[in-house]
Amino acid sequence: MKLLRVGAKGAERPAAIDEQGVLRDVSAVALEIDGALLGDPVALGAVQRALASGTLPEVDAAARIGAPIARPGKVIGVGLNYTDHAAAIGAAIPERPVVFLKPGTTVSGPYDAIELPRDSAATDHEVELGVVLGRRLRDCPDAATALGAVGGYVTANDVTERNGIAGEPTWVKGKSFDTFTPIGPWLVTPDEVAQPQALSLQLWVNGEQRQAGSTGDMVSGVGEVLCYLSTLMTLEPGDLVLTGTPAGVAVSRPEPKPYLRDGDVVVVEVAGLGRQQTLATGVRG
């Protein structure tokens, strides 16, 4: 299934796309698109049956599409997880995944504005495969078990203010601004993603392609990443994991580096997971 949340910010309601491509309101059978739903096969089955019936109300095509999952308990990022990205920025491939956390307040919808920080000078884009947990995972024994805990996949942009990273002991300052994790438009359930390590990722700024890669180039695959993370912390249903970005980010390009500026249009797509389009703006709030 392709699950969505539609409506005004803070008042989104659950929706899904049926087999005819029609967007339908599923609030009659699901309270929310969240970890509780993704971790409940019975509830998911009820949504699927209701959607197949064709009787659920259609959603107005003009309705705002929000983040496809309610605010995650944790947003966990993985850095330097693509061989070409590490090479492009002159970094060694890490022996173990590089892990950082982002607050849930960074999550925004696929068409919401990216609010550039005050005095932003080096805000960068990072197309990523996002993974949403559907089951609790702790001290996972192997990658196959970890993949079995996936509740869905999303297109994501791990926006980063590079000046908040340079010279800092952690990446928190550059990763934590509101709107710095646009996700969606859909959350796609695992049954529709046969090979998570065979998905193309692309990103354009103002029509110019900046990134093009494949999840097959990950240093650690989705299952390996989740398994490793589960040894560091308990992963809960609804948690969002950002699995790394391929080459092409602004910081790796020649001077003057093409960081995001007020008015830039950023288009991000992961194959089968949908395309998002966001506007970088200097106005916060």
Side-chain angles (χ1 to χ4, degrees):
M1 286 188 292
K2 293 181 174 68
L3 303 173
L4 304 85
R5 297 169 68 248
V6 298
K9 289 183 181 181
E12 294 92 347
R13 62 189 187 278
I17 299 174
D18 69 15
E19 291 186 357
Q20 287 70 46
V22 177
L23 180 58
R24 296 190 181 275
D25 188 322
V26 300
S27 56
V29 287
L31 295 176
E32 182 59 283
I33 308 298
D34 58 8
L37 175 67
L38 297 178
D40 186 342
V42 174
L44 279 174
V47 172
Q48 195 162 27
R49 289 191 297 274
L51 194 62
S53 73
T55 61
L56 295 174
E58 292 188 30
V59 174
D60 184 346
R64 170 184 173 270
I65 297 177
I69 187 162
R71 183 181 294 180
K74 296 188 287 295
V75 180
I76 309 160
V78 178
L80 302 175
N81 197 33
Y82 280 74
T83 53
D84 59 353
H85 173 61
I89 65 172
I93 295 174
E95 293 182 9
R96 293 178 297 278
V98 175
V99 178
F100 58 91
L101 296 175
K102 301 181 77 168
T105 47
T106 64
V107 174
S108 60
Y111 307 110
D112 294 340
I114 296 171
E115 298 171 0
L116 301 175
R118 223 168 270 112
D119 302 321
S120 167
T123 300
D124 211 343
H125 52 75
E126 297 186 17
V127 57
E128 307 209 4
L129 171 64
V131 182
V132 180
L133 272 293
R135 294 210 305 267
R136 186 175 183 269
L137 199 63
R138 181 173 184 269
D139 289 329
C140 175
D142 53 57
T145 301
L147 284 175
V150 172
Y153 297 94
V154 296
T155 296
N157 184 2
D158 176 22
V159 183
T160 304
E161 172 55 44
R162 299 289 177 190
N163 283 350
I165 289 178
E168 295 289 337
T170 73
W171 292 358
V172 173
K173 291 183 180 179
K175 297 284 188 178
S176 297
F177 292 98
D178 291 355
T179 75
F180 265 31
T181 314
I183 59 172
W186 321 310
L187 181 147
V188 181
T189 51
D191 56 297
E192 294 197 17
V193 184
Q195 295 292 339
Q197 301 306 145
L199 303 176
S200 65
L201 308 92
Q202 301 181 82
L203 182 145
W204 299 260
V205 178
N206 300 330
E208 175 195 3
Q209 187 160 39
R210 296 279 184 84
Q211 292 184 265
S214 168
T215 55
D217 294 327
M218 285 184 181
V219 177
S220 298
V222 172
E224 295 171 292
V225 164
L226 296 180
C227 200
Y228 177 72
L229 292 175
S230 79
T231 68
L232 306 178
M233 66 193 85
T234 299
L235 302 178
E236 299 282 357
D239 285 350
L240 171 64
V241 177
L242 307 174
T243 57
T245 195
V249 295
V251 72
S252 68
R253 292 176 176 269
E255 299 287 353
K257 298 184 185 298
Y259 292 118
L260 297 180
R261 296 289 183 262
D262 188 14
D264 284 349
V265 176
V266 185
V267 175
V268 182
E269 182 175 25
V270 178
L273 308 184
R275 175 180 287 202
Q276 57 176 248
Q277 179 172 307
T278 54
L279 177 70
T281 173
V283 179
R284 299 186 64 203

